[in-house]
Amino acid sequence: MFFSKKIKRGLICAIFAIAFFRIALFFMPYKELAEFKNRECSVRVLDKNGEILQILPLSGGLRRENVSIDEIPKSVRNSFIRAEDKRFYFHFGIDFVSAFRALFQNVRGLSRVSGASTITMQLARIVSPSKTRTFSAKLRDCVNAIRIEGKLSKSKILELYLNNVPFGKNAEGIASAARTFYAKTPSELSDAECASLCVIPRSPSRYNPLDNPQNNIEAASRLNPSIPKEKIEKVVRSSKKFEYPFECPHFVRFLEKSGAFKNKREVKLSISLEVQKFAQMRVEKALKEASRSRIANAAVFVCDAKTGDILAWIGSGGWSENDGSQIDGVLNPMQPGSSMKPFLYALALDSGFKVQDVLADVPSEFGAENLYIPQNFNNRFNGAVRFRVALASSLNVPAVKILDKIGEDVYLKKLDELGFDSLKESGKDAGLSLALGGGFVSLRELVRAFAVFVRDGVFWNDKRVFSKDAARLICSILSDKNARAMGFGYAQTFETAYPAIFKTGTSNQYQNITALGATKEYAVGVWMGNFSGNTVIGKTGSSLPARVVREILDFLEDGVGADSLSFPLPENYSLKRICALSGKLPTRFCPEKVYEFVPNDEKIEECTWHNQNGTFYPAEYQRWLFLSGKNDALDYETSALQITSPKDGGIFYFDESKRRVNQIVRIEAMGGHGKSAQIFLDDVLIDEIERPFILNVPAIRGKHSLIIKSDGEEKRASFEVR
């Protein structure tokens, strides 16, 4: 009786001691555990439909997916508890029953027959690993297990364990193990697959079902006698290492660098894997076709025109460390060429230009010291061109004239509103070539800005950038196959069963070939070129990327009724008949008339270009008529006398390589009322000429003054030859 009282007191004291010990450990800080709970895990990156794009590896290719305890089926949890720690819910970190049994077995066997590590002790070993497995290390695991039990619930302990236990083959945690060995999530595991996985942590190399299937089968069968052995054998023999998807690598890396995945277990993107794969297939085919032209790289960007959601992002035709394909063509700055022109023309419409306006596509010089003489892509000039045709056929000279009138700073400010951050550095240096896409922008910026037209002029930040009518007129122009015929003919590339707008562009030397397309629903951009900067062989046009754009739009708009995709008409404009040449109200002398959108409140003047005697162009077409040899008469009196060459303050440079050639300076004037003009060079009368007022004079080094007099009008200019 006395002895039993002493035992009772001892037990009570032991219980109080243990309780005190646990309380003390609970209040002791456990820095390693706090850090471990925030341990980095592999991020599951999914597309909009939940399809896996990537499961991001950690250092060394390790994958450790994190799932909540609720995402792990009870059957899976119980299987691991049965395999590793039957009394998990009945101890506080140390299972003394198992410990005494293991001690007895080990002593009797004079060697280590079995251990007594609980799930909590195994977790403690993962949280605070030891380099060697000594008695002191084991004791440390016991202490840390008690600390963990005092700080965490059983549910949280089991969750941490199942998410971090090593399985080998660069897989940690039940989610990564289920995927690596059986291509499933924990909730999809069968009883036999679960039995196979439960034994792997005991010795990942020994029980790995890929390398040692028989060992895994035997161990799993012993542990789970209720499951037929042949059932376990069947699933183990069919096990093969999961091939982790590697989709949309450039976009995923972009998001990873931006910190979008930080502290995330799973991220669902707006990407459509179906669209991504289709676009990848089409652009790879296009690259094969373009290989003879020495085009090695391509990029695709697709977004929802209404929401801005990114549906496809292809930074390159592949992903290799050796060929530069890891460079992201969606973000890489490039010269977009004429694909920038719609933004300039939309600004022009909001700045007072009209769609019926006629622009002079004639030889023109801009600037003085930095003389700029733009050429069209086909090296010819088209004379009088209506606003609609100039944009749709992508003519260069009219675009430069528009920018010269509007102003570079005004245009750059508008481009900034459209999200062209890249132009903050390269835009000002481009000068007037900005009208032709002379700055550097990214494909992402370009496509997102292009969508503004099908969004009625409203950008993604809900800010109105262009008026509703300007945006709708641009849609009308860029979807007009007749208007683009002058520049591109009736190309089938742009033939679609639904309303769509298209714009293409090429940079100098064809290093960059760009195509844009959009419907009311989607916006697509394709770039082709070389990250190395190599020029292509021959004059490869933009038809190849344009075809890819159209194919992607065909895929996206498949089965959608064309009527639902129609672009709305401008609200403050009406279709009126105009002269196809002058853009004015046609008379009986105008040979060709067309319909064009004209502001409702605008009264159009009658055409003066045509009369009973023929066609008479304004004075600004003088050089074009002279060079083209056209017989059409020129109405010189449509403008005052002006010197068109040399520009006032112009600087010419003597070509030292042509010393024996008589180098000249071209003098040209237009307008005025007189039929003849006197030319004074450095205050000396050098000639009196009849129309057209064009004269070549020798290039002599030094500063010079020029005076032209005609019928009482006088104009002056100065220039220098260096």
Side-chain angles (χ1 to χ4, degrees), residues 169 176-184 193 196-197 208-211 213 233-244:
K169 293 296 181 183
S176 292
R179 200 181 303 280
T180 297
F181 298 113
Y182 292 110
K184 293 184 177 181
E193 290 164 341
S196 168
L197 293 176
N208 189 295
L210 300 174
D211 301 330
E233 183 167 8
K234 182 179 179 180
V235 299
V236 172
R237 295 293 182 188
S238 64
S239 173
K240 60 180 181 180
K241 191 169 183 181
F242 179 68
E243 292 295 329
Y244 281 87

mmCIF file of all heavy atoms in Angstrom, residues 169 176-184 193 196-197 208-211 213 233-244:
data_model
loop_
_atom_site.group_PDB
_atom_site.id
_atom_site.type_symbol
_atom_site.label_atom_id
_atom_site.label_comp_id
_atom_site.label_asym_id
_atom_site.label_seq_id
_atom_site.Cartn_x
_atom_site.Cartn_y
_atom_site.Cartn_z
ATOM 1 N N LYS A 169 13.816 11.517 -55.930
ATOM 2 C CA LYS A 169 13.513 11.960 -57.294
ATOM 3 C C LYS A 169 13.128 13.447 -57.339
ATOM 4 O O LYS A 169 12.264 13.873 -58.105
ATOM 5 C CB LYS A 169 12.375 11.124 -57.903
ATOM 6 C CG LYS A 169 12.734 9.668 -58.148
ATOM 7 C CD LYS A 169 13.831 9.525 -59.186
ATOM 8 C CE LYS A 169 14.187 8.076 -59.446
ATOM 9 N NZ LYS A 169 15.310 7.924 -60.399
ATOM 10 N N SER A 176 3.767 16.642 -54.442
ATOM 11 C CA SER A 176 4.797 16.450 -55.466
ATOM 12 C C SER A 176 5.072 14.977 -55.702
ATOM 13 O O SER A 176 5.345 14.559 -56.836
ATOM 14 C CB SER A 176 6.087 17.169 -55.058
ATOM 15 O OG SER A 176 5.893 18.570 -55.096
ATOM 16 N N ALA A 177 5.001 14.161 -54.636
ATOM 17 C CA ALA A 177 5.229 12.723 -54.789
ATOM 18 C C ALA A 177 4.124 12.087 -55.622
ATOM 19 O O ALA A 177 4.381 11.273 -56.525
ATOM 20 C CB ALA A 177 5.307 12.059 -53.421
ATOM 21 N N ALA A 178 2.873 12.448 -55.327
ATOM 22 C CA ALA A 178 1.747 11.896 -56.086
ATOM 23 C C ALA A 178 1.861 12.252 -57.561
ATOM 24 O O ALA A 178 1.583 11.430 -58.442
ATOM 25 C CB ALA A 178 0.434 12.424 -55.519
ATOM 26 N N ARG A 179 2.336 13.478 -57.841
ATOM 27 C CA ARG A 179 2.466 13.903 -59.228
ATOM 28 C C ARG A 179 3.683 13.254 -59.887
ATOM 29 O O ARG A 179 3.620 12.799 -61.034
ATOM 30 C CB ARG A 179 2.581 15.428 -59.300
ATOM 31 C CG ARG A 179 2.229 15.986 -60.680
ATOM 32 C CD ARG A 179 2.381 17.495 -60.709
ATOM 33 N NE ARG A 179 1.593 18.196 -59.729
ATOM 34 C CZ ARG A 179 0.301 18.465 -59.859
ATOM 35 N NH1 ARG A 179 -0.363 18.044 -60.919
ATOM 36 N NH2 ARG A 179 -0.346 19.139 -58.919
ATOM 37 N N THR A 180 4.804 13.213 -59.161
ATOM 38 C CA THR A 180 6.044 12.680 -59.733
ATOM 39 C C THR A 180 5.920 11.210 -60.102
ATOM 40 O O THR A 180 6.371 10.783 -61.171
ATOM 41 C CB THR A 180 7.209 12.872 -58.741
ATOM 42 O OG1 THR A 180 7.409 14.282 -58.532
ATOM 43 C CG2 THR A 180 8.496 12.264 -59.279
ATOM 44 N N PHE A 181 5.312 10.411 -59.211
ATOM 45 C CA PHE A 181 5.274 8.962 -59.438
ATOM 46 C C PHE A 181 3.995 8.472 -60.126
ATOM 47 O O PHE A 181 4.025 7.461 -60.828
ATOM 48 C CB PHE A 181 5.445 8.231 -58.103
ATOM 49 C CG PHE A 181 6.760 8.506 -57.437
ATOM 50 C CD1 PHE A 181 6.826 9.216 -56.248
ATOM 51 C CD2 PHE A 181 7.943 8.081 -58.016
ATOM 52 C CE1 PHE A 181 8.044 9.482 -55.635
ATOM 53 C CE2 PHE A 181 9.172 8.339 -57.411
ATOM 54 C CZ PHE A 181 9.224 9.045 -56.223
ATOM 55 N N TYR A 182 2.877 9.211 -59.918
ATOM 56 C CA TYR A 182 1.617 8.714 -60.474
ATOM 57 C C TYR A 182 0.821 9.763 -61.256
ATOM 58 O O TYR A 182 -0.321 9.514 -61.630
ATOM 59 C CB TYR A 182 0.749 8.123 -59.353
ATOM 60 C CG TYR A 182 1.350 6.861 -58.790
ATOM 61 C CD1 TYR A 182 1.897 6.836 -57.500
ATOM 62 C CD2 TYR A 182 1.416 5.703 -59.556
ATOM 63 C CE1 TYR A 182 2.483 5.681 -56.993
ATOM 64 C CE2 TYR A 182 2.002 4.540 -59.058
ATOM 65 C CZ TYR A 182 2.525 4.539 -57.783
ATOM 66 O OH TYR A 182 3.102 3.390 -57.298
ATOM 67 N N ALA A 183 1.422 10.949 -61.495
ATOM 68 C CA ALA A 183 0.789 11.998 -62.295
ATOM 69 C C ALA A 183 -0.611 12.346 -61.783
ATOM 70 O O ALA A 183 -1.535 12.571 -62.564
ATOM 71 C CB ALA A 183 0.725 11.579 -63.767
ATOM 72 N N LYS A 184 -0.746 12.389 -60.456
ATOM 73 C CA LYS A 184 -2.040 12.676 -59.850
ATOM 74 C C LYS A 184 -1.889 13.689 -58.722
ATOM 75 O O LYS A 184 -0.786 13.958 -58.245
ATOM 76 C CB LYS A 184 -2.678 11.391 -59.302
ATOM 77 C CG LYS A 184 -3.078 10.383 -60.369
ATOM 78 C CD LYS A 184 -3.780 9.181 -59.755
ATOM 79 C CE LYS A 184 -4.251 8.196 -60.819
ATOM 80 N NZ LYS A 184 -4.962 7.039 -60.227
ATOM 81 N N GLU A 193 -2.089 3.118 -54.799
ATOM 82 C CA GLU A 193 -1.078 4.150 -55.051
ATOM 83 C C GLU A 193 -0.661 4.813 -53.748
ATOM 84 O O GLU A 193 0.528 5.098 -53.524
ATOM 85 C CB GLU A 193 -1.629 5.182 -56.027
ATOM 86 C CG GLU A 193 -1.781 4.641 -57.439
ATOM 87 C CD GLU A 193 -2.673 5.508 -58.312
ATOM 88 O OE1 GLU A 193 -3.458 6.326 -57.765
ATOM 89 O OE2 GLU A 193 -2.593 5.367 -59.545
ATOM 90 N N SER A 196 1.659 2.566 -51.915
ATOM 91 C CA SER A 196 2.995 2.612 -52.515
ATOM 92 C C SER A 196 3.770 3.831 -52.037
ATOM 93 O O SER A 196 4.967 3.742 -51.722
ATOM 94 C CB SER A 196 2.868 2.630 -54.039
ATOM 95 O OG SER A 196 4.089 2.935 -54.653
ATOM 96 N N LEU A 197 3.089 4.960 -51.962
ATOM 97 C CA LEU A 197 3.766 6.200 -51.566
ATOM 98 C C LEU A 197 4.130 6.218 -50.089
ATOM 99 O O LEU A 197 5.157 6.785 -49.696
ATOM 100 C CB LEU A 197 2.879 7.403 -51.884
ATOM 101 C CG LEU A 197 2.629 7.707 -53.371
ATOM 102 C CD1 LEU A 197 1.651 8.868 -53.514
ATOM 103 C CD2 LEU A 197 3.936 8.040 -54.085
ATOM 104 N N ASN A 208 11.905 3.317 -53.809
ATOM 105 C CA ASN A 208 11.454 4.105 -54.946
ATOM 106 C C ASN A 208 10.790 3.200 -55.983
ATOM 107 O O ASN A 208 11.411 2.266 -56.489
ATOM 108 C CB ASN A 208 12.662 4.817 -55.581
ATOM 109 C CG ASN A 208 12.257 5.821 -56.634
ATOM 110 O OD1 ASN A 208 11.718 5.447 -57.655
ATOM 111 N ND2 ASN A 208 12.531 7.084 -56.366
ATOM 112 N N PRO A 209 9.532 3.462 -56.340
ATOM 113 C CA PRO A 209 8.828 2.573 -57.279
ATOM 114 C C PRO A 209 9.372 2.619 -58.700
ATOM 115 O O PRO A 209 9.117 1.711 -59.488
ATOM 116 C CB PRO A 209 7.383 3.068 -57.225
ATOM 117 C CG PRO A 209 7.478 4.477 -56.770
ATOM 118 C CD PRO A 209 8.650 4.532 -55.847
ATOM 119 N N LEU A 210 10.125 3.660 -59.041
ATOM 120 C CA LEU A 210 10.694 3.757 -60.383
ATOM 121 C C LEU A 210 11.965 2.929 -60.509
ATOM 122 O O LEU A 210 12.188 2.271 -61.531
ATOM 123 C CB LEU A 210 10.994 5.228 -60.730
ATOM 124 C CG LEU A 210 9.795 6.183 -60.712
ATOM 125 C CD1 LEU A 210 10.264 7.617 -60.935
ATOM 126 C CD2 LEU A 210 8.783 5.794 -61.774
ATOM 127 N N ASP A 211 12.806 2.968 -59.466
ATOM 128 C CA ASP A 211 14.086 2.261 -59.517
ATOM 129 C C ASP A 211 14.033 0.880 -58.873
ATOM 130 O O ASP A 211 14.739 -0.036 -59.304
ATOM 131 C CB ASP A 211 15.165 3.114 -58.820
ATOM 132 C CG ASP A 211 15.330 4.475 -59.477
ATOM 133 O OD1 ASP A 211 15.090 4.560 -60.704
ATOM 134 O OD2 ASP A 211 15.678 5.433 -58.777
ATOM 135 N N PRO A 213 10.980 -1.218 -57.955
ATOM 136 C CA PRO A 213 9.547 -1.504 -57.828
ATOM 137 C C PRO A 213 9.240 -2.700 -56.931
ATOM 138 O O PRO A 213 8.254 -2.668 -56.191
ATOM 139 C CB PRO A 213 9.114 -1.763 -59.277
ATOM 140 C CG PRO A 213 10.365 -2.102 -60.015
ATOM 141 C CD PRO A 213 11.450 -1.322 -59.347
ATOM 142 N N GLU A 233 0.914 -4.264 -57.031
ATOM 143 C CA GLU A 233 1.931 -4.549 -58.053
ATOM 144 C C GLU A 233 1.555 -3.897 -59.384
ATOM 145 O O GLU A 233 2.414 -3.367 -60.086
ATOM 146 C CB GLU A 233 2.089 -6.057 -58.231
ATOM 147 C CG GLU A 233 3.188 -6.409 -59.221
ATOM 148 C CD GLU A 233 3.556 -7.881 -59.172
ATOM 149 O OE1 GLU A 233 2.866 -8.651 -58.485
ATOM 150 O OE2 GLU A 233 4.550 -8.246 -59.817
ATOM 151 N N LYS A 234 0.289 -3.920 -59.713
ATOM 152 C CA LYS A 234 -0.165 -3.365 -60.984
ATOM 153 C C LYS A 234 0.125 -1.861 -61.064
ATOM 154 O O LYS A 234 0.633 -1.363 -62.081
ATOM 155 C CB LYS A 234 -1.654 -3.622 -61.161
ATOM 156 C CG LYS A 234 -2.202 -3.117 -62.495
ATOM 157 C CD LYS A 234 -3.691 -3.427 -62.623
ATOM 158 C CE LYS A 234 -4.229 -2.896 -63.955
ATOM 159 N NZ LYS A 234 -5.669 -3.169 -64.117
ATOM 160 N N VAL A 235 -0.195 -1.142 -59.975
ATOM 161 C CA VAL A 235 0.017 0.308 -60.018
ATOM 162 C C VAL A 235 1.501 0.654 -59.946
ATOM 163 O O VAL A 235 1.957 1.588 -60.598
ATOM 164 C CB VAL A 235 -0.760 1.031 -58.888
ATOM 165 C CG1 VAL A 235 -2.248 0.796 -59.036
ATOM 166 C CG2 VAL A 235 -0.272 0.642 -57.521
ATOM 167 N N VAL A 236 2.270 -0.096 -59.159
ATOM 168 C CA VAL A 236 3.702 0.181 -59.046
ATOM 169 C C VAL A 236 4.408 -0.070 -60.373
ATOM 170 O O VAL A 236 5.255 0.714 -60.808
ATOM 171 C CB VAL A 236 4.336 -0.659 -57.923
ATOM 172 C CG1 VAL A 236 5.860 -0.517 -57.938
ATOM 173 C CG2 VAL A 236 3.793 -0.220 -56.567
ATOM 174 N N ARG A 237 4.050 -1.167 -61.042
ATOM 175 C CA ARG A 237 4.687 -1.498 -62.321
ATOM 176 C C ARG A 237 4.340 -0.466 -63.406
ATOM 177 O O ARG A 237 5.099 -0.293 -64.366
ATOM 178 C CB ARG A 237 4.238 -2.875 -62.797
ATOM 179 C CG ARG A 237 4.672 -4.036 -61.896
ATOM 180 C CD ARG A 237 6.156 -4.239 -61.898
ATOM 181 N NE ARG A 237 6.541 -5.391 -61.052
ATOM 182 C CZ ARG A 237 7.795 -5.702 -60.759
ATOM 183 N NH1 ARG A 237 8.786 -4.949 -61.210
ATOM 184 N NH2 ARG A 237 8.060 -6.746 -59.997
ATOM 185 N N SER A 238 3.213 0.186 -63.259
ATOM 186 C CA SER A 238 2.802 1.181 -64.261
ATOM 187 C C SER A 238 3.326 2.579 -63.942
ATOM 188 O O SER A 238 3.122 3.522 -64.714
ATOM 189 C CB SER A 238 1.274 1.226 -64.363
ATOM 190 O OG SER A 238 0.703 1.679 -63.140
ATOM 191 N N SER A 239 4.008 2.714 -62.819
ATOM 192 C CA SER A 239 4.522 4.022 -62.414
ATOM 193 C C SER A 239 5.613 4.495 -63.371
ATOM 194 O O SER A 239 6.489 3.729 -63.769
ATOM 195 C CB SER A 239 5.080 3.951 -60.989
ATOM 196 O OG SER A 239 5.710 5.160 -60.641
ATOM 197 N N LYS A 240 5.556 5.765 -63.754
ATOM 198 C CA LYS A 240 6.629 6.364 -64.558
ATOM 199 C C LYS A 240 6.756 7.835 -64.173
ATOM 200 O O LYS A 240 5.769 8.484 -63.804
ATOM 201 C CB LYS A 240 6.353 6.225 -66.049
ATOM 202 C CG LYS A 240 5.085 6.881 -66.547
ATOM 203 C CD LYS A 240 4.950 6.658 -68.049
ATOM 204 C CE LYS A 240 3.682 7.328 -68.582
ATOM 205 N NZ LYS A 240 3.535 7.123 -70.038
ATOM 206 N N LYS A 241 7.974 8.323 -64.265
ATOM 207 C CA LYS A 241 8.225 9.678 -63.784
ATOM 208 C C LYS A 241 7.436 10.698 -64.598
ATOM 209 O O LYS A 241 7.428 10.680 -65.824
ATOM 210 C CB LYS A 241 9.716 10.012 -63.836
ATOM 211 C CG LYS A 241 10.050 11.308 -63.110
ATOM 212 C CD LYS A 241 11.528 11.509 -62.934
ATOM 213 C CE LYS A 241 11.808 12.778 -62.127
ATOM 214 N NZ LYS A 241 13.245 13.009 -61.954
ATOM 215 N N PHE A 242 6.787 11.583 -63.894
ATOM 216 C CA PHE A 242 5.943 12.602 -64.512
ATOM 217 C C PHE A 242 6.803 13.635 -65.233
ATOM 218 O O PHE A 242 7.809 14.118 -64.699
ATOM 219 C CB PHE A 242 5.103 13.274 -63.419
ATOM 220 C CG PHE A 242 4.203 14.363 -63.912
ATOM 221 C CD1 PHE A 242 3.119 14.079 -64.714
ATOM 222 C CD2 PHE A 242 4.432 15.687 -63.551
ATOM 223 C CE1 PHE A 242 2.271 15.085 -65.161
ATOM 224 C CE2 PHE A 242 3.601 16.692 -63.986
ATOM 225 C CZ PHE A 242 2.508 16.396 -64.798
ATOM 226 N N GLU A 243 6.421 13.971 -66.467
ATOM 227 C CA GLU A 243 7.097 15.015 -67.221
ATOM 228 C C GLU A 243 6.415 16.344 -66.904
ATOM 229 O O GLU A 243 5.281 16.588 -67.333
ATOM 230 C CB GLU A 243 7.034 14.730 -68.722
ATOM 231 C CG GLU A 243 7.830 13.516 -69.177
ATOM 232 C CD GLU A 243 9.332 13.688 -68.968
ATOM 233 O OE1 GLU A 243 9.801 14.846 -69.049
ATOM 234 O OE2 GLU A 243 10.016 12.683 -68.709
ATOM 235 N N TYR A 244 7.101 17.173 -66.147
ATOM 236 C CA TYR A 244 6.494 18.432 -65.725
ATOM 237 C C TYR A 244 6.326 19.375 -66.919
ATOM 238 O O TYR A 244 7.267 19.575 -67.694
ATOM 239 C CB TYR A 244 7.338 19.092 -64.641
ATOM 240 C CG TYR A 244 7.118 18.480 -63.279
ATOM 241 C CD1 TYR A 244 7.854 17.380 -62.862
ATOM 242 C CD2 TYR A 244 6.158 18.989 -62.421
ATOM 243 C CE1 TYR A 244 7.641 16.802 -61.615
ATOM 244 C CE2 TYR A 244 5.929 18.428 -61.175
ATOM 245 C CZ TYR A 244 6.672 17.330 -60.780
ATOM 246 O OH TYR A 244 6.443 16.764 -59.549
#
